[in-house]
Structure formats: structure tokens, C-alpha cells
Amino acid sequence: MLYKSTRDSGDARFTSAEVIKRGIADDGGLYVPENIPALGRDEIEKLRRMPYSERAAFILSKFLDDYSYDELLADSTAAYRAESFPGGPAPLARLDDRLFSLELWHGPTAAFKDMALQLMPRLLTRALKKTGEYRTVHILVATSGDTGKAALEGFKDIEQTRITVFYPESGVSLVQKRQMATQTGENVIVCAVRGNFDDCQNGVKRLFSDTELAAELDRRGFFLSSANSINWGRLVPQIVYYVSAYCDLLNIGALGAGDEFCVCVPTGNFGNILAGYFAGLMGIPIKKLICASNLNNVLTDFLRRGIYDRNRTFHKTISPSMDILISSNLERLLYYVAGAEKTRKYTAELGKTGCYQISGEEKDKISEQFIGYYADETETAATIRGIFETYGYLCDTHTAVAFSCAEKYRQETGDNGIITVVSTASPYKFAGDVYRALTGKDSAGEFEALDQLYGYTGAPVPYPLAGIGSRPVRFTASVDKEKMKQYILGM
Ligand SMILES: *Cc1c(COP(=O)(O)O)cnc(C)c1O
């Protein structure tokens, strides 16, 4: 199977190893597969009997056909091993007969980015070998918290890779800072930047476009790359858990052959929900993809009116991983409904004016699969409390946005079928806000919030966060934002 750019109507095609190594296309577009492999009935039957890592290898082998099945199985087995995911990679919790929670946060950083980042670095090292790359890839990440930690855990001790994560010294939470500062691994570096997140991100962007730095690193046998969520190697592992959830719903008898179900996805960059769209294109009977947003509801408006307009107030919310006004992965959906030429046009308008409008026909096509809702801060907090009181189920702030939107969907459409809410973070990752939503009280501090939430709910604390406040700190360096290059060269 070959891949092309969302902005290229020409005939440039690449293997999956090439696109995983390249990340983004030269024309600024994202890579998409030329065709979508279908899943047959007999294949679903086979998948139903497989453990998660085999399901992953099976689905991946359909998209990455320049990797052997044995390579993919070795990688998925290593990525999703029980030591990393003690609760299983993607267990389905049943709230009632029609409401399920797909828990994607049992991995090493207690959030769903582990699902992709535990596997993608392994696919990337193989991609280097397959494309004859002898240099070591040096991953640079600017993070406002969660992605950096998930990338560190994913790349740690993966051969032919090394990773540097820059975070704003005063822009991440205490827990996030401690999670990164205690990172293990021989090929990882964590460094604070004296500045805010924008300083950090702009600094990393400058490093990527610095030809002198590239030449010096090349001389030393390295090249720079990023691991962001537009890389196909991050998207493809996410398709797996939608297929897996469908198999599990069949296995427990919640769905019969041919039955459809809805999924509701707390959305930021549109990567997670797009993977659900791909699962639907493969033949998983997803009735509707419910796109759940917080107050930064640019996607709700887009799905309702066909107008994408980022010119609006940016809100800092209690679901910070969804505080996004440019959803990069939406470009892949645009490509599928409007083609490369229109995608080029829309993304150019977005760059110039921050706004574009799709045609009525394109909007209708999108509405066949997607429907958008949003929840404000009060609704999100009330949902955390409501879900806990009704079902005894504890969820984090992002997942609560999705539960709230799932309920709005039911109210608006009268659809009483099965909804699977995609749960993207452990409630302990946002313990202070979850505790406040439940009790109306502030916690005594960030680390204390973990104990207080445990005391109040009795829900188990995930292993990556247990005792985090007392772990030994390994990385203490901080640099001025002008000195990031010297820092890299001094390694
Ligand atoms: C990244 C993230 C999201 C948003 O996922 P996208 O793929 O960017 O839409 C939602 N919840 C949590 C906890 C996240 O870390």
C-alpha cells in the first residue's frame, strides 16, 4: 500500500516506512493511504478471539505492508505488554446496557497518547532500517505537559533514537514537571526553558529550520525529527482500539451481528476521532462519531455550519489537552470529502485568514458520519459528579466532556442505542479538578490531591502516578530560550 499527500493531486507516492520517517509531506500536507483496506466478516470473527497485541498486528499489517506480520507482532507485543499496561491496553468498562467507556489510559503515562507513542517509536526505528538510514533520529519535542512525557516513555531506550523534551519552566503543573524530571532511559534528556509554552515551541521550530544545526548534527550522525500527532505512525495504532472495542462489544453480547454503535470522542487535534473514521471506512459499523469539544468549540461550529473559524477567544479549561483552535488532523478528513485541490485551497485560507468555508455538499458528506457537541466548564464538572453518583464510575475532565456530549446527542436525536465514550485520561492525572468537581472543595495541593481523591472515591491510583511526589528527580537543567541550540550541541 502506498501513501500520498493530502495536498498533492500529482502522482508522488511513498511507502509506509517512508511516510513514518518523513512525518509531514514536503508540500506541508499530511500522508494518507491510497486506499482503505476492508475488514471482512470472517476477519472480524478471527479478531474477536485475539488478544489486543495480535489485533494490533493484524490491523497494522493491512496498512503497513512493507513491514512483515512478524515485525509488527513483535512491536505490538513489546508496546502493549502487561508491565506497561497492567489494566490491559484498551479495556471496555460497562456503565449500563447502553453506555460504555473505552479506557485508553492504563499505560505508562496514564493518558491515551501512550496507545500511539508506545508503538510508533518502534515502527520508526524499523522505518530507518527499511529506508537505509544509518543516522540516529533525534526527536525534539516542545510540550505543555502530557505529550512530552508520553514521547519520553515511548522513545526511552529505543535503538537508533534519542529524544530531547523542552517544557516551559512555569507553564506545566507540578505533577507533570515531576513526571518528566523523574524520567528514566539512556537516550532521553529533559530540559526546562525559562519562558512560556510559546517561547518553548518557537524555540523548537527555530531548531528545526536551522540549517547550520542540521549540518553539524549530520556530521555527528544525527538528524532531527518530531513525533507529533500528524505522523501516520501515530495515527495507525489508534485505529486498532476502535476495532478492538467492536470485537469486545460483540464478545459480551452487547452488539449482535450487523448492529451499529456510536462512539463519542473528546477531541483536540482531531487525531483520535479521525482514527475512528478510518475504522468506519474499514467496515466497523460505527453509526455516528460524536465529536466532543470543550469551550474551545471550533469543531462543533465547523460540523454544524461548515465554517472553520479560528478567530475566536482562546479558553483555558479544566480539559487542557483539548484547548486547541487548529485541529491539524482535520486536514485528512477534508481530503477524503473534498479532494487534494480543495484541501490545498482550504488550508491556504486557514493560514491566511484563519477561516474557510466548505461547500454544502462537503458538509453533508461529513454529517453522514460526524456530529458535534460541546460542554462548558460547569457542565463538565457536573458530569464528573453525575457519572460518579449514578454509576459509581470516576472519570477525568476530558472524558467528562465526552459523557456530557453523549447525553446531549441522546437528548437531541432520541437515539437510545449503544454509545462508547472514549476515555482519554486517568482521573488522577487531573486529580485537583476532579476532586473539586466531586466535593466542591479545593485540594490541599497538587500531590495531595491524588491522596484526597483516592480517599474520597477509593478508585485505584494508576502505577505511573502512585507516589509521584516522592520519586527522585533526575533532570534539573533549565536554559534561556535563546540557548536551546547550544544546549542541543553540548549533548
Ligand atoms: C491529546 C488528548 C486529547 C485530544 O486528542 P486528539 O487526538 O488531539 O483529538 C483528549 N484527551 C486527552 C487526555 C489528551 O491527552
Side-chain angles (χ1 to χ4, degrees):
M1 165 153 343
L2 294 176
Y3 291 77
K4 54 181 296 193
S5 163
T6 47
R7 297 186 195 177
D8 183 11
S9 31
D11 49 13
R13 300 288 184 276
F14 302 91
T15 65
S16 64
E18 283 166 335
V19 306
I20 289 171
K21 181 182 159 193
R22 297 164 71 103
I24 189 162
D26 289 337
D27 57 12
L30 314 191
Y31 289 113
V32 284
E34 258 193 304
N35 40 55
I36 309 283
L39 276 176
R41 255 221 158 89
D42 48 325
E43 291 178 307
I44 298 282
E45 286 310 308
K46 265 201 251 169
L47 284 161
R48 284 176 64 177
R49 293 190 293 273
M50 293 179 185
Y52 191 87
S53 52
E54 284 177 38
R55 287 175 179 171
F58 190 93
I59 302 297
L60 259 60
S61 69
K62 297 219 163 226
F63 287 98
L64 314 182
D65 59 4
D66 48 341
Y67 291 65
S68 74
Y69 181 79
D70 287 344
E71 288 175 331
L72 294 170
L73 185 61
D75 288 348
S76 64
T77 303
Y80 300 121
R81 63 192 187 276
E83 302 93 87
S84 299
F85 290 84
L92 203 55
R94 180 184 168 285
L95 276 66
D96 67 21
D97 288 346
R98 300 171 305 131
L99 190 57
F100 293 83
S101 175
L102 179 62
E103 296 180 346
L104 302 179
W105 41 261
H106 292 275
T109 75
F112 98 102
K113 293 196 173 55
D114 291 332
M115 298 301 292
L117 277 165
Q118 283 297 301
L119 185 50
M120 182 268 186
R122 301 170 200 276
L123 301 176
L124 176 58
T125 347
R126 290 202 195 273
L128 299 181
K129 298 216 164 62
K130 287 178 194 294
T131 57
E133 179 60 67
Y134 61 91
R135 292 171 299 173
T136 292
V137 57
H138 184 153
I139 302 291
L140 286 187
V141 181
T143 186
S144 54
D146 288 343
T147 303
K149 177 63 184 177
L152 287 164
E153 281 294 331
F155 279 96
K156 90 170 177 201
D157 297 330
I158 297 286
E159 63 173 307
Q160 217 178 334
T161 75
R162 70 178 187 186
I163 175 166
T164 305
V165 169
F166 291 106
Y167 69 90
E169 191 157 51
S170 50
V172 302
S173 76
L174 272 177
V175 171
Q176 287 173 326
K177 197 169 186 167
R178 186 64 60 92
Q179 273 190 298
M180 289 190 277
T182 55
Q183 180 65 44
T184 60
E186 292 304 312
N187 62 340
V188 307
I189 296 280
V190 176
C191 179
V193 174
R194 294 183 207 111
N196 58 27
F197 177 62
D198 282 339
D199 296 328
C200 219
Q201 192 162 39
N202 291 334
V204 165
K205 275 190 192 151
R206 272 199 306 277
L207 296 179
F208 276 125
S209 56
D210 188 327
T211 48
E212 188 191 277
L213 176 66
E216 175 56 24
L217 288 175
D218 181 63
R219 213 179 49 77
R220 300 183 192 178
F222 294 93
F223 72 101
L224 294 178
S225 185
S226 72
N228 56 29
S229 75
I230 53 176
N231 190 304
W232 178 249
R234 275 189 63 178
L235 199 69
V236 69
Q238 299 187 268
I239 300 171
V240 177
Y241 48 74
Y242 290 96
V243 177
S244 179
Y246 177 57
C247 291
D248 290 344
L249 287 168
L250 289 171
N251 283 349
I252 60 174
L255 291 177
D259 289 348
E260 295 185 312
F261 67 113
C262 289
V263 294
C264 182
V265 188
T267 302
N269 228 342
F270 211 75
N272 197 353
I273 195 166
L274 188 81
Y277 176 69
F278 277 112
L281 294 176
M282 292 180 84
I284 299 302
I286 297 175
K287 185 175 180 182
K288 272 278 168 358
L289 290 154
I290 304 167
C291 177
S293 300
N294 63 23
L295 275 178
N296 297 294
N297 54 3
V298 60
L299 287 167
T300 320
D301 287 347
F302 173 70
L303 295 173
R304 303 232 149 207
R305 296 164 44 217
I307 300 173
Y308 195 99
D309 188 357
R310 64 154 302 189
N311 304 307
R312 57 178 71 214
T313 313
F314 177 80
H315 298 278
K316 267 182 103 97
T317 72
I318 54 172
S319 47
S321 302
M322 297 156 70
D323 291 345
I324 287 174
L325 290 180
I326 296 195
S327 298
S328 327
N329 261 301
L330 187 63
E331 179 165 341
R332 287 191 165 105
L333 180 63
L334 285 180
Y335 170 81
Y336 281 100
V337 299
E341 206 169 305
K342 295 289 264 321
T343 302
R344 249 194 334 265
K345 175 170 172 283
Y346 295 147
T347 51
E349 286 173 24
L350 181 66
K352 225 182 278 159
T353 66
C355 182
Y356 62 87
Q357 175 164 16
I358 59 174
S359 74
E361 199 184 321
E362 289 154 3
K363 192 203 153 288
D364 291 345
K365 248 197 219 171
I366 292 178
S367 299
E368 284 169 23
Q369 269 294 288
F370 291 87
I371 187 164
Y373 296 89
Y374 77 96
D376 66 23
E377 297 289 89
T378 315
E379 290 170 324
T380 304
T383 301
I384 291 175
R385 201 168 52 245
I387 293 284
F388 188 66
E389 282 167 5
T390 311
Y391 304 105
Y393 185 76
L394 187 64
C395 72
D396 92 293
T397 48
H398 303 76
T399 309
V401 168
F403 274 119
S404 174
C405 292
E407 183 54 32
K408 290 181 184 196
Y409 168 79
R410 277 209 207 289
Q411 299 281 341
E412 189 181 80
T413 62
D415 181 354
N416 270 328
I418 287 186
I419 300 183
T420 294
V421 163
V422 177
S423 179
T424 50
S426 158
Y428 285 97
K429 194 126 199 188
F430 301 92
D433 288 319
V434 172
Y435 182 75
R436 190 178 311 105
L438 289 173
T439 64
K441 286 187 275 204
D442 284 337
S443 55
E446 272 195 56
F447 294 126
E448 291 80 355
L450 293 162
D451 294 332
Q452 287 179 291
L453 187 58
Y454 176 70
Y456 189 80
T457 64
V461 183
Y463 79 95
L465 296 173
I468 179 87
S470 52
R471 283 191 212 157
V473 168
R474 178 178 176 206
F475 296 104
T476 53
S478 65
V479 293
D480 287 329
K481 57 179 194 268
E482 297 79 18
K483 294 276 165 61
M484 291 162 73
K485 179 174 174 181
Q486 284 83 336
Y487 188 76
I488 294 289
L489 286 172
M491 287 175 66

